[in-house]
């Protein structure tokens, strides 16, 4: 048997991530979201050559006119799928991937959790104006005190948490060490569970609601709220309220802690077509086929954002990625251009043009976690592409 080039110590770094991102469940404990063969929907195909469609880059130092093929070649693409009105018009796999391969989604996982919370809001089980501590009283003496559910969804709460990916001891990596991602950071004080980790965050860095600061720990806290209000496991909630409703082709696998709590901040793995199914549900404003997954109201509010959300966003480094954008309910959005996006480090994404019901899915293995120019190039290309078909 051929020896793998990656292990638990090097899997997240180049060049190993080109292979390891397709084999995460072989390295770490996971829980499974099951695809029922009898429940799978098929796609229609109408193959088009979109590779020569052009886009213009205006980012300083990267100006010029390029083609979609240039973008795919330059941005370490592992798979790319484009769908309009539920019909696949382009689907390509690279780097050993196939249509059956599952791939690490990184923070695209967050948007799945955001939709789950939307379903609980629809049912009246969660109220976004209530405090996290109304649902999780154990967190009253932590940096989450005073934060509402909506502020957690929008990443505007107060807790002090560093998410600088190139800092090896950033809080983000310390949290991932709980699920085994960074063995070098594990010591005798490392918490056993994600719940325990979050309970240990006592400091604050800002007033609640005052600024947008992207912090993965908020997604995991929201998963804990979901369990608390339903009395069910997060895995079962994702299975019943979301996964099986989009009629997937493949199982999904979510990295978990020692109590099998899914790490929805960054740990979900799925196949390209199943991300397209999720995107199709979003552009259909919460419907997949004839089944309602989440209310249209939840999708509409996520896309619309608020003036405050846009003000928070425009002072961040993310504005070149989605001009005029905002972050809400675990999605990146631009109401002006009717775009919703799910974004994960190392180049993962679902890009949804709500105006013309176009969905683009891209898995990648960028060498660096948050290479700004590569993300900007990808989103500039996808904006031009989804407007041209």
């Amino acid at each position: 048997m051929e020896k793998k080039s990656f292990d638990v110590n090097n899997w997240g770094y180049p060049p190993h991530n080109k292979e390891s991102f397709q084999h995460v469940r072989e390295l770490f404990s996971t829980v499974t979201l099951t695809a029922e063969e009898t429940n799978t929907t098929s796609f229609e195909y109408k193959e088009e050559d979109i590779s020569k469609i052009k886009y213009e880059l205006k980012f300083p130092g990267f100006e010029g006119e390029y083609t979609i093929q240039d973008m795919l070649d330059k941005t370490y693409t592992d798979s790319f799928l484009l769908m309009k009105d539920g019909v696949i018009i382009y689907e390509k796999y690279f780097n050993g991937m196939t249509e059956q391969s599952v791939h690490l989604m990184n923070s695209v996982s967050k948007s799945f959790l955001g939709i789950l919370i939307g379903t609980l809001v629809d049912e009246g089980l969660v109220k976004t104006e209530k405090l996290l501590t109304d649902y999780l009283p154990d967190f009253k003496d932590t940096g989450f005190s005073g934060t509402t559910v909506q502020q957690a969804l929008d990443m505007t709460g107060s807790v002090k948490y560093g998410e600088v990916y190139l800092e090896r001891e950033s809080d983000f990596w310390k949290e991932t060490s709980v699920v085994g991602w960074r063995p070098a950071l594990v010591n005798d004080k490392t918490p056993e569970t994600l719940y325990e980790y979050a309970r240990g965050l006592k400091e604050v860095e800002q007033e609640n609601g005052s600024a947008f600061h992207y912090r993965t720990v908020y997604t995991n806290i929201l998963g804990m709220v979901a369990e608390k209000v339903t009395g069910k496991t997060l895995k079962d909630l994702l299975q019943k309220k979301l996964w099986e409703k989009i009629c997937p082709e493949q199982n999904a696998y979510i990295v978990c802690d020692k109590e099998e709590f899914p790490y929805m901040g960054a740990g979900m793995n799925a196949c390209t077509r199943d991300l397209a199914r999720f995107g199709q549900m979003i552009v259909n404003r919460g419907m997949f086929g004839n089944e309602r997954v989440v209310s249209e109201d939840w999708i509409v509010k996520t896309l619309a954002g608020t003036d405050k959300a846009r003000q928070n966003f425009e002072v961040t480094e993310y504005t070149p990625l989605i001009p005029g954008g905002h972050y809400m309910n675990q999605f990146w959005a631009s109401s002006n251009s009717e775009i919703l996006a799910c974004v994960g480090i190392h180049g993962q994404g679902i890009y949804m043009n709500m105006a013309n019901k176009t969905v683009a899915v891209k898995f990648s293995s960028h060498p660096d976690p948050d290479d700004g120019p590569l993300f900007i190039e990808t989103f500039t290309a996808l904006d031009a592409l989804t407007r041209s078909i």
Side-chain angles (χ1 to χ4, degrees):
M1 184 180 291
E2 186 180 348
K3 189 176 186 300
K4 302 288 188 189
S5 70
F6 57 86
D7 57 32
V8 294
N9 295 296
N10 65 22
W11 74 278
Y13 303 103
H16 312 289
N17 63 335
K18 289 182 69 175
E19 187 179 5
S20 64
F21 282 1
Q22 298 173 45
H23 298 276
V24 168
R25 68 187 185 279
E26 297 168 25
L27 294 172
F28 307 107
S29 297
T30 59
V31 295
T32 303
L33 302 184
T34 306
E36 301 276 346
E37 191 173 336
T38 54
N39 189 38
T40 299
T41 57
S42 0
F43 287 119
E44 291 181 52
Y45 285 82
K46 185 183 175 184
E47 194 78 18
E48 294 182 22
D49 183 7
I50 54 107
S51 62
K52 296 181 176 59
I53 291 174
K54 294 182 178 179
Y55 61 94
E56 186 178 1
L57 267 187
K58 297 179 181 178
F59 192 65
F62 298 89
E63 299 93 343
E65 189 174 74
Y66 303 94
T67 67
I68 296 300
Q69 189 62 55
D70 292 330
M71 181 273 288
L72 294 175
D73 292 341
K74 291 159 64 180
T75 59
Y76 301 87
T77 306
D78 293 330
S79 70
F80 184 71
L81 184 153
L82 183 70
M83 185 163 68
K84 180 175 172 62
D85 295 322
V87 178
I88 294 177
I89 58 178
Y90 193 81
E91 184 180 23
K92 298 291 181 187
Y93 295 92
F94 311 90
N95 190 27
M97 272 196 80
T98 71
E99 61 197 43
Q100 285 84 33
S101 302
V102 299
H103 191 290
L104 180 64
M105 294 159 54
N106 283 313
S107 288
V108 172
S109 312
K110 291 180 171 71
S111 300
F112 281 67
L113 195 280
I115 292 297
L116 176 65
I117 295 296
T119 70
L120 300 179
V121 170
D122 294 340
E123 294 171 26
L125 294 172
V126 171
K127 296 189 181 304
T128 58
E129 69 274 14
K130 292 190 77 170
L131 298 177
L132 292 173
T133 52
D134 290 335
Y135 300 108
L136 301 170
D138 283 358
F139 284 77
K140 283 185 177 174
D141 62 344
T142 70
F144 299 98
S145 181
T147 302
T148 67
V149 170
Q150 191 63 60
Q151 288 163 349
L153 283 161
D154 301 347
M155 306 281 191
T156 62
S158 61
V159 74
K160 185 178 180 182
Y161 177 97
E163 190 143 351
V164 180
Y165 303 113
L166 294 180
E167 290 181 3
R168 294 200 177 196
E169 295 199 13
S170 179
D171 292 319
F172 171 78
W173 294 120
K174 287 178 181 177
E175 186 178 26
T176 72
S177 73
V178 176
V179 297
W181 279 16
R182 288 294 183 268
L185 295 180
V186 175
N187 56 46
D188 56 5
K189 294 181 180 177
T190 300
E192 293 282 306
T193 65
L194 292 166
Y195 187 95
E196 202 182 316
Y197 174 83
R199 278 275 296 117
L201 298 177
K202 305 292 187 183
E203 297 182 62
V204 299
E205 63 180 36
Q206 63 183 43
E207 289 184 16
N208 282 302
S210 63
F212 167 57
H213 174 199
Y214 191 81
R215 284 155 292 176
T216 288
V217 70
Y218 277 121
T219 308
N220 299 322
I221 282 281
L222 289 164
M224 296 167 201
V225 169
E227 287 197 340
K228 189 75 170 181
V229 300
T230 62
K232 297 177 181 175
T233 67
L234 184 55
K235 170 190 172 295
D236 286 346
L237 291 169
L238 289 162
Q239 175 75 39
K240 296 293 184 186
K241 294 185 179 294
L242 177 53
W243 192 246
E244 62 188 43
K245 289 190 176 183
I246 63 170
C247 304
E249 283 186 31
Q250 307 291 335
N251 292 346
Y253 304 90
I254 312 170
V255 175
C256 62
D257 66 15
K258 291 179 180 177
E259 291 189 352
E260 296 194 338
F261 181 80
Y263 176 47
M264 286 302 290
M268 190 168 173
N269 302 258
C271 76
T272 307
R273 289 181 184 174
D274 288 342
L275 264 62
R277 286 179 168 84
F278 179 80
Q280 182 67 17
M281 179 269 293
I282 299 296
V283 298
N284 283 336
R285 287 171 157 71
M287 292 286 293
F288 190 85
N290 296 320
E291 180 148 31
R292 168 98 20 219
V293 178
V294 71
S295 67
E296 181 173 2
D297 183 64
W298 187 258
I299 303 294
V300 168
K301 284 180 176 175
T302 302
L303 177 62
T306 63
D307 288 341
K308 176 62 173 170
R310 280 181 282 280
Q311 289 164 11
N312 284 341
F313 193 85
E314 70 184 1
V315 296
T316 70
E317 69 272 29
Y318 303 112
T319 49
L321 183 66
I322 304 182
H326 62 271
Y327 188 89
M328 179 161 279
N329 294 337
Q330 308 279 289
F331 282 79
W332 306 78
S334 175
S335 55
N336 305 346
S337 48
E338 293 200 63
I339 298 300
L340 280 173
C342 318
V343 185
I345 57 172
H346 292 283
Q348 323 320 322
I350 311 174
Y351 189 91
M352 294 153 285
N353 187 316
M354 304 293 286
N356 66 8
K357 293 191 174 181
T358 303
V359 177
V361 176
K362 189 174 188 295
F363 278 132
S364 315
S365 45
H366 292 179
D368 292 325
D370 59 349
D371 188 318
L374 289 183
F375 274 107
I376 291 166
E377 175 139 19
T378 299
F379 277 69
T380 301
L382 296 182
D383 186 63
L385 175 58
T386 59
R387 291 175 194 287
S388 68
I389 60 170

